[in-house]
């Protein structure tokens, strides 16, 4: 059987900006042909069942029917290659890293898209529909299992250092700092990167005692060892691993109020 070099593509994501990014990335690839774009799951599922694409970019969380439920509803015999798109579901990412299913972490750039597409092309040649269905079932089961766990029993976050991916204990993250399209995570004397926004990182760290001390920096206050002030009154924090960070003027009052609550006799 001769496999056409052109792949028909469907995009399913409830964020217009995310759909636009995917659409523009696909348009730059000569072997991709966009045949459908959907912001809700019901219409997407009907269209995919009627005309199964070769490749599906699927947001994990879309309206009432999650991307997981939509993926499970697809016909195994005509199952497309699926690239899951996610904003910041670290436990889903852990499942993807050990599976034969691809993902894109928002926000992503052209380089990340092309690397993912290279893996998709290889898998298209190597995998049968049975292989794809087996891999998909395994990763969906893992995601659903971890989603049911209490938050405290899965406190880890996926980040990279050099060319390797690492699972970090959230409680050990001392500082999260925005760095262009990445967030820099400081654990002791080690620095890791995760492609995310600071808001998303802050949400992932919400089980910890965190405090935003500037527009670009969130601190796990459990790791603060020393506190001093600059001549202007901003706070200098020395972390357990030795990192020194300074609060900004706009967050000065927030930091001051936090430390005031820690004093003996504070009401």
């Amino acid at each position: 059987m001769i496999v056409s070099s052109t792949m028909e593509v469907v995009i399913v994501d409830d964020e217009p900006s995310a759909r636009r990014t995917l659409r523009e990335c696909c348009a730059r690839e000569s072997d991709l042909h966009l045949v459908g774009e959907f912001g809700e799951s019901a219409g997407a599922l009907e269209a995919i069942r009627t005309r199964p694409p070769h490749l599906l970019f699927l947001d994990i969380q879309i309206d009432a029917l999650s991307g997981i439920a939509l993926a499970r509803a697809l016909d195994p015999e005509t199952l497309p290659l699926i690239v899951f798109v996610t904003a910041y579901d670290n436990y889903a990412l852990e499942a993807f890293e050990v599976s034969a299913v691809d993902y894109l972490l928002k926000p992503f750039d052209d380089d990340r898209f092309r690397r993912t597409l290279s893996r998709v092309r290889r898998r298209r040649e190597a995998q049968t529909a049975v292989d794809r269905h087996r891999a998909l079932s395994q990763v969906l089961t893992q995601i659903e299992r971890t989603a049911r766990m209490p938050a405290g029993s899965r406190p880890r976050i996926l980040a990279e250092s050099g060319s390797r991916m690492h699972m970090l204990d959230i409680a050990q993250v001392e500082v999260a700092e925005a760095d262009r399209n990445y967030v820099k995570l400081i654990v002791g004397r080690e620095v890791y990167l995760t492609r995310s926004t600071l808001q998303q990182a802050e949400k992932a760290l919400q089980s910890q005692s965190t405090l935003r001390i500037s527009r670009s920096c969130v601190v796990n206050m459990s790791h603060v060892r020393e506190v001093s002030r600059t001549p202007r009154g901003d706070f200098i924090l020395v972390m357990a691993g030795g990192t020194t960070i300074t609060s900004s003027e706009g967050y000065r009052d927030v930091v001051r109020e936090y430390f005031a609550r820690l004093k003996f006799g504070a009401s």
Side-chain angles (χ1 to χ4, degrees):
M1 178 179 177
I2 299 175
V3 178
S4 171
S5 59
T6 300
M7 287 189 284
E8 294 190 343
V9 179
V10 167
I11 296 170
V12 184
D13 196 308
D14 59 0
E15 296 181 16
S17 60
R19 294 199 303 274
R20 182 178 62 252
T21 299
L22 284 166
R23 186 192 321 127
E24 291 172 350
C25 286
C26 289
R28 288 190 282 270
E29 302 297 325
S30 60
D31 61 339
L32 299 187
H33 174 52
L34 184 63
V35 296
E37 182 181 319
F38 301 89
E40 46 80 32
S41 55
L45 181 57
E46 182 179 355
I48 293 168
R49 284 174 168 171
T50 302
R51 182 181 177 179
H54 300 109
L55 175 60
L56 171 62
F57 290 97
L58 178 60
D59 186 17
I60 287 181
Q61 297 177 331
I62 45 172
D63 55 56
L65 181 63
S66 72
I68 293 174
L70 191 155
R72 285 201 181 282
L74 299 177
D75 185 349
E77 294 186 2
T78 57
L79 186 68
L81 291 154
I82 298 178
V83 174
F84 282 98
V85 184
T86 179
Y88 204 72
D89 191 333
N90 299 295
Y91 312 106
L93 294 184
E94 181 181 359
F96 291 138
E97 283 297 322
V98 296
S99 76
V101 177
D102 285 300
Y103 72 94
L104 279 170
L105 180 61
K106 302 176 186 176
F108 55 87
D109 56 17
D110 285 348
D111 181 61
R112 172 60 178 166
F113 180 85
R114 290 194 179 102
R115 281 188 283 131
T116 297
L117 193 57
S118 293
R119 289 196 297 272
V120 167
R121 290 175 178 128
R122 290 195 298 270
R123 285 176 181 171
R124 187 189 185 199
E125 295 176 356
Q127 288 182 335
T128 64
V130 173
D131 294 330
R132 287 198 292 273
H133 186 253
R134 183 185 301 114
L136 178 65
S137 296
Q138 290 174 347
V139 75
L140 295 183
T141 298
Q142 177 65 20
I143 293 171
E144 290 170 332
R145 183 184 299 121
T146 54
R148 289 192 294 267
M149 295 180 185
S153 66
R154 47 185 175 89
R156 295 197 293 172
I157 190 170
L158 187 71
E160 60 181 300
S161 178
S163 60
R164 311 189 90 180
M165 303 300 294
H166 300 263
M167 293 305 303
L168 307 179
D169 185 341
I170 283 179
Q172 294 179 351
V173 175
E174 299 181 9
V175 179
E177 188 173 10
D179 184 9
R180 292 183 293 181
N181 291 332
Y182 292 84
V183 170
K184 180 168 63 176
L185 302 175
I186 298 176
V187 179
R189 297 184 181 277
E190 301 297 324
V191 176
Y192 302 87
L193 293 175
T194 181
R195 185 172 286 278
S196 177
T197 66
L198 189 61
Q199 290 80 6
Q200 292 163 346
E202 191 171 22
K203 182 178 179 181
L205 293 166
Q206 64 186 359
S207 63
Q208 303 302 303
S209 177
T210 58
L211 183 69
R212 187 182 283 243
I213 67 166
S214 71
R215 290 183 61 186
S216 61
C217 186
V218 174
V219 174
N220 186 340
M221 301 303 284
S222 300
H223 293 286
V224 175
R225 294 296 176 261
E226 297 179 20
V227 182
S228 58
R229 305 287 291 272
T230 68
R232 296 178 54 189
D234 295 322
F235 289 82
I236 302 172
L237 310 181
V238 179
M239 309 306 294
T243 299
T244 299
I245 49 177
T246 304
S247 65
S248 67
E249 181 180 359
Y251 287 78
R252 186 185 299 158
D253 291 343
V254 174
V255 180
R256 180 170 55 242
E257 290 170 6
Y258 176 89
F259 285 118
R261 291 195 299 269
L262 298 182
K263 294 179 180 178
F264 285 116
S267 57

